[in-house]
Amino acid sequence: MNAKIKQNYDFQYDNPIDRLMNSSPEKSDILHLLKATGDLQQELFKQAREIRAKHTNNKVALRGVIEISNFCQKSCNYCAIRAPNKEMQRYRMDPDEIVDIAGQIRGLGIRIVFLQAGQDPKCDAILEEAIPRIKEKYQGKILLCLGERPKEVYQRYRELGADSYILKHETSDPALYQKIAHTSLEKRLQCAEWIQETGMQLGLGNMIGIPDQTFESLAEDILLAYRMQPDFVSSSPFIANQGTPYEDVPTGDFNMTLNTMAINRILFKSSLVPTVSALEKIQKGGQLMGLNAGANVITINFTPPVQREKYKIYSDKRFIVSLDHTQNIVEKAGLKLDTDKALKAL
Ligand code: 5AD
């Protein structure tokens, strides 16, 4: 864009929220909005809610998550299920148990069955059986979050019936990613592209509060997602996990997480933006604030307590999202649940 046109352009939209809504995103505007407080933050949230009302059915989607295995090949500094954590008791569920819980999820009217695990290739044999059985018996959507795998494996998940896959980028800074995950960001983004190529919907996302993360890189996290145009995009505050190299790192910034979510809503319009349990963990009422910042999906935990205790990705005492809590905050946000039928337990 030449300087004159750019000048007119900036004149036309004289605040960062308008520019974000009406033109391709500029890093300087994102940086400004990431730090928003007071009136500017309220305006950001208001615009995010308006975009949600305009571009979605204004209903909150639900995902019922089953954490099917806590084995993991990776050694991410922030995560307690990292391979070197010998204290962690490992488990892997069998297909019968998974299909059974999926039936409960679908029986409640929840449309999305979310299967999550560490990066554990031994889950593949289990999924070969479980995904088709779930699809056949209970229909609905299958969402996976199983880490970095070869292209053929993603292709296979798709053939089995998976609809979508979350592989968060965590950060857009290659050196920082290498430092926290001990593998390359390039490889991870290659995997994300493969996922898109299979036809599955893709979820990206970042973490806020990683040691040595810069504001610039947080703005770049959003721009990276913008370039890849994912179907879902999340943001979570970092939470220290015991038994990890980052066990003493302070919690990520709550407001910056909300601001990222609102920016994501404005940029990605109809995408699913979750209000994550970590928000509730660090501030009571946090997940409701996430809905008020433009979020439109909540993950409810269906991992049986025995295994759940061992799935420590958000520290020892993570906030376990229940149906009651979900209904409560959705109502308070003035929204409706997007379910197949009236939720039985509500
Ligand atoms: N703090 C915040 N988010 C975390 N995740 C894992 N560990 C942590 C942590 N300590 C998130 C990552 C990962 C997802 C499964 O959970 O974003 O992709």
Side-chain angles (χ1 to χ4, degrees):
M1 203 184 283
N2 76 36
K4 187 136 190 281
I5 299 176
K6 184 154 176 51
Q7 211 181 15
N8 289 340
Y9 205 70
D10 289 346
F11 175 74
Q12 191 181 357
Y13 302 118
D14 64 356
N15 81 64
I17 303 175
D18 282 350
R19 274 196 297 272
L20 204 63
M21 290 197 302
N22 295 299
S23 58
S24 53
E26 293 283 343
K27 191 156 141 186
S28 53
D29 289 331
I30 294 178
L31 274 170
H32 191 131
L33 293 172
L34 277 176
K35 299 178 191 173
T37 56
D39 288 349
L40 180 62
Q41 188 183 40
Q42 288 315 310
E43 183 59 25
L44 176 67
F45 294 168
K46 184 168 163 258
Q47 293 294 350
R49 290 193 299 271
E50 281 177 14
I51 298 242
R52 179 180 60 197
K54 193 165 157 208
H55 292 269
T56 75
N57 59 7
N58 226 11
K59 287 184 172 177
V60 178
L62 297 180
R63 296 166 169 161
V65 67
I66 315 172
E67 289 144 338
I68 63 172
S69 158
N70 70 351
F71 284 88
C72 191
Q73 295 175 316
K74 292 195 72 173
S75 305
C76 303
N77 287 357
Y78 53 88
C79 183
I81 68 171
R82 64 201 305 267
N85 188 357
K86 302 293 175 218
E87 303 291 298
M88 181 66 54
Q89 284 179 42
R90 306 286 168 168
Y91 71 86
R92 194 178 285 119
M93 288 185 192
D94 61 40
D96 286 347
E97 188 168 16
I98 296 167
V99 174
D100 190 52
I101 303 169
Q104 292 168 33
I105 293 170
R106 293 288 299 128
L108 288 165
I110 296 173
R111 295 180 199 273
I112 306 163
V113 175
F114 181 9
L115 305 179
Q116 187 172 34
Q119 190 170 299
D120 175 18
K122 289 201 175 146
C123 283
D124 289 354
I126 295 164
L127 294 164
E128 282 283 329
E129 194 181 325
I131 296 176
R133 278 175 61 191
I134 295 171
K135 276 297 225 197
E136 197 187 323
K137 259 182 117 171
Y138 305 116
Q139 293 84 44
K141 299 273 181 213
I142 301 240
L143 165 65
L144 304 176
C145 180
L146 306 166
E148 294 162 34
R149 306 300 312 284
K151 187 173 184 184
E152 308 74 66
V153 173
Y154 293 133
Q155 192 63 51
R156 184 66 192 148
Y157 293 151
R158 176 69 178 152
E159 285 160 15
L160 289 170
D163 299 278
S164 50
Y165 198 106
I166 295 177
L167 187 72
K168 301 186 193 179
H169 54 302
E170 317 290 3
T171 172
S172 54
D173 176 339
L176 186 60
Y177 187 80
Q178 182 71 41
K179 192 169 146 206
I180 63 170
H182 311 288
T183 55
S184 79
L185 181 63
E186 196 188 348
K187 181 184 174 207
R188 196 163 178 86
L189 296 179
Q190 174 63 261
C191 288
E193 273 180 31
W194 288 337
I195 291 164
Q196 284 182 318
E197 283 165 20
T198 67
M200 285 191 283
Q201 291 188 311
L202 173 69
L204 293 177
N206 74 344
M207 261 189 306
I208 296 193
I210 303 169
D212 299 326
Q213 194 173 33
T214 61
F215 287 127
E216 292 259 322
S217 84
L218 287 169
E220 289 289 349
D221 292 354
I222 294 172
L223 291 168
L224 184 155
Y226 191 76
R227 286 192 294 277
M228 291 196 67
Q229 289 292 309
D231 304 280
F232 331 131
V233 55
S234 76
S235 188
S236 319
F238 168 82
I239 293 185
N241 281 201
Q242 271 163 20
T244 69
Y246 288 170
E247 64 184 4
D248 295 322
V249 169
T251 300
D253 191 287
F254 181 80
N255 277 298
M256 209 166 290
T257 309
L258 293 180
N259 292 350
T260 305
M261 292 163 61
I263 295 168
N264 284 338
R265 165 61 60 218
I266 290 171
L267 290 179
F268 298 103
K269 314 277 190 247
S270 62
S271 289
L272 289 179
V273 172
T275 180
V276 298
S277 63
L279 286 172
E280 191 72 32
K281 171 159 173 85
I282 65 177
Q283 184 162 322
K284 198 168 162 27
Q287 269 189 308
L288 173 58
M289 291 169 82
L291 289 178
N292 289 334
N296 66 339
V297 56
I298 297 178
T299 297
I300 301 180
N301 197 297
F302 284 86
T303 310
V306 189
Q307 287 100 343
R308 195 194 286 163
E309 298 277 289
K310 298 179 186 147
Y311 203 89
K312 299 188 178 189
I313 58 162
Y314 279 156
S315 83
D316 257 357
K317 292 195 187 65
R318 58 187 170 132
F319 181 81
I320 299 294
V321 179
S322 65
L323 275 174
D324 273 359
H325 167 77
T326 301
Q327 188 197 29
N328 190 355
I329 62 173
V330 168
E331 202 172 285
K332 281 195 177 132
L335 298 167
K336 295 252 179 302
L337 287 171
D338 186 17
T339 50
D340 271 355
K341 50 187 168 190
L343 284 175
K344 251 194 237 159
L346 302 180

